[in-house]
Structures are given as structure tokens and as C-alpha cells.
């Protein structure tokens, strides 16, 4: 029996998308990974920055550096049904 579904990665990948980004795509990548709205991730990040006295703001450039950019031909995660 053959499968007609689209090819998918065997696991979720934390990557910065090239299409749905505001600055570097960190919030969008985290939102895709956890199946959450990127705007919600941005708000949580802003609140965490305020509550930690700016310490959480250091996480953004670190994540920008560590998260690989999504390849141009890669399908967006989560894959459409």
C-alpha cells in the first residue's frame, strides 16, 4: 500500500522561518514549535523582560544566534493537514 501524504520531518524542528518574522523570526519559530500564536510568544517575552529587569532580553540575541534559519524549500511546521 502506498502513502499519498506529503513528506514530513520525523520530528518538530526549532527553526527561524523566513516568511513569518518581525525582527529575526525567533518568536515565530518558538510559536510554531509549541503550536502557539507568535504574537502571544512576543507578549510573554515582553512581560518576562519587564519582570526580570531586562534579563530575559538577553535570551533573544542568544536564540537568534543558536536557532538555525529555515531552508528556503522547507515546508512550514506544523504541516497543513
Amino acid at each position: 500500500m502506498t502513502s499519498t501524504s506529503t513528506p514530513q520531518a520525523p520530528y518538530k524542528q526549532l527553526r527561524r522561518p523566513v516568511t513569518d518574522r518581525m525582527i529575526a523570526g525567533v518568536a515565530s519559530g518558538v510559536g510554531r514549535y509549541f503550536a502557539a500564536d507568535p504574537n502571544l510568544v512576543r507578549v510573554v517575552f515582553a512581560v518576562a523582560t519587564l519582570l526580570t529587569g531586562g534579563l530575559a532580553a538577553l535570551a533573544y540575541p542568544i536564540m537568534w544566534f543558536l536557532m538555525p534559519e529555515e531552508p528556503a524549500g522547507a515546508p512550514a511546521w506544523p504541516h497543513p493537514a
Side-chain angles (χ1 to χ4, degrees), residues 9 16-17 37 40 53 57 59 75:
R16 295 181 297 118
D37 185 22
L40 178 65

Side-chain angles (χ1 to χ4, degrees):
M1 179 171 195
T2 59
S3 176
T4 59
S5 64
T6 58
Q8 297 180 3
Y11 52 88
K12 293 191 293 186
Q13 298 176 352
L14 182 60
R15 293 187 173 180
R16 295 181 297 118
V18 295
T19 56
D20 183 26
R21 60 167 59 169
M22 287 191 126
I23 297 176
V26 172
S28 181
V30 171
R32 282 186 182 179
Y33 187 80
F34 291 110
D37 185 22
N39 291 323
L40 178 65
V41 174
R42 291 178 184 109
V43 168
V44 167
F45 179 73
V47 169
T49 300
L50 292 173
L51 291 177
T52 62
L55 188 61
L58 293 174
Y60 192 88
I62 292 170
M63 291 173 66
W64 187 351
F65 178 73
L66 292 177
M67 284 175 63
E69 191 170 273
E70 188 175 72
W77 187 275
H79 300 290

